[in-house]
Amino acid sequence: MSSAVRSFLRDDDLSPAEQSHVLDRAAALKAAPYDHKPLAGPRTVATIYDKPTLRTQSSFAAGIAELGGFPMLVDGALAGIGVRESVADVARVLGRQAGVIVWRTFAQVKLDQMAAYAGVPVVNALTDEFHPCQLLADLLTIREHKGTLAGLTVAFLGDAACNMGNSWALAGVTAGMHVRFGAPEGYVPDTEVLARADEIGKATGGSVELHTDASSAVADADVLVTDTWVSMGKEDEAAARTAVFSPYSLTTALVSRAKPDAIVLHCLPAYRGKEIDAEVLDGPQSVVWDEAENRRHAQKAILAFLAEQSGISAPSAELVEAHGTSR
Ligand code: NVA
């Protein structure tokens, strides 16, 4: 069994084949949520949240428990990560207590440091730059409703410069999708991320397009996505952002320009009347509650995958063989 530690820090840490495998695993775990316990022991998963959370904390806690593990909540402020002691020293200590570390924080570079020193897999539970666990849940949800991912057109409206924009560029193209951003100039994904998405697209057939016109971005799209205009940490820019992004609000009029069977995603929390009309969020094309549930199944799948890849748990087939039953 390979003992190289694998982390999930950004969406392109999974190859196209691995992403597809993790999504298959998520669907299987959703169908039989209590039958697979790769974290039995229980193995401890340290979870740290430096920004507000509802879906992430609850879905990781429930999912880790369902995998047979123990979700240990570490108070980042109490620990003083990077203040009272360095990220590297925190990583060295937590890596001796836990089998996996899940961290929501600000700068991606801190997460990279945690992964460099922990000696165990580290999972990005949202940074300023990426939100890869959300994307696994989004892709799982789209697959459930559309039966496929490759070749579909996704239109993401609003603040494409945020974590969700970067993650959509990487994960969507990895899945072979055509990702259109409808966003004002200056609010597009990171240059390095766009270049990386282009490179991935050469192998998968996926692509990224930048539109400044919301209407052209959503035309005939299969999937419509938006996110808050005011990401966590940007609260003092709220007024200016509302002015810049208001033409990109996902209204019923814009939805009617997409395919008639288009589905609507939003990672939540949502602000009705701002980035999305209440009629759209609460309407028949919205799949946001499936999407929220799928955080748990998708995160269980990535935890199980990383645990196997890193030699923390036996591959599922071996578990079945060793114990004569699916544990
Ligand atoms: N872009 C949002 C995502 C929330 C899940 C934020 O960072 O606040």
Side-chain angles (χ1 to χ4, degrees), residues 44-241:
T44 293
V45 178
T47 58
I48 317 162
Y49 301 104
D50 295 342
K51 290 185 180 186
T53 177
L54 165 67
R55 277 150 295 280
T56 303
Q57 183 178 356
S58 58
S59 58
F60 266 112
I64 291 161
E66 287 176 11
L67 291 174
F70 167 63
M72 175 171 70
L73 186 59
V74 176
D75 184 329
L78 205 55
I81 303 173
V83 178
R84 191 164 153 264
E85 51 193 322
S86 68
V87 174
D89 285 359
V90 170
R92 290 178 175 113
V93 171
L94 287 182
R96 299 295 182 98
Q97 305 298 346
V100 182
I101 298 168
V102 172
W103 194 13
R104 164 169 292 192
T105 194
F106 292 85
Q108 182 80 12
V109 67
K110 291 203 291 172
L111 196 76
D112 293 340
Q113 284 169 10
M114 184 74 90
Y117 291 95
V120 298
V122 173
V123 176
N124 181 350
L126 181 146
T127 58
D128 292 343
E129 287 93 337
F130 298 101
H131 196 4
C133 288
Q134 181 68 53
L135 262 289
L136 289 178
D138 288 9
L139 297 179
L140 179 63
T141 309
I142 296 165
R143 240 177 50 156
E144 286 173 350
H145 286 270
K146 296 281 168 201
T148 186
L149 294 173
L152 293 182
T153 296
V154 183
F156 179 106
L157 290 189
D159 181 12
C162 78
N163 40 25
M164 286 298 293
N166 284 331
S167 277
W168 257 110
L170 293 182
V173 172
T174 298
M177 303 174 89
H178 303 295
V179 184
R180 290 192 202 139
F181 292 103
E185 261 174 50
Y187 291 93
V188 297
D190 197 74
T191 310
E192 178 268 326
V193 166
L194 289 174
R196 178 80 184 114
D198 276 349
E199 192 186 314
I200 296 168
K202 285 183 191 130
T204 65
S207 64
V208 170
E209 277 178 24
L210 304 180
H211 294 239
T212 50
D213 177 41
S215 192
S216 78
V218 299
D220 292 321
D222 300 286
V223 181
L224 302 169
V225 186
T226 190
D227 181 17
T228 179
W229 295 336
V230 186
S231 283
M232 293 178 275
K234 304 265 184 211
E235 289 78 4
D236 44 359
E237 298 172 23
R241 287 177 159 265

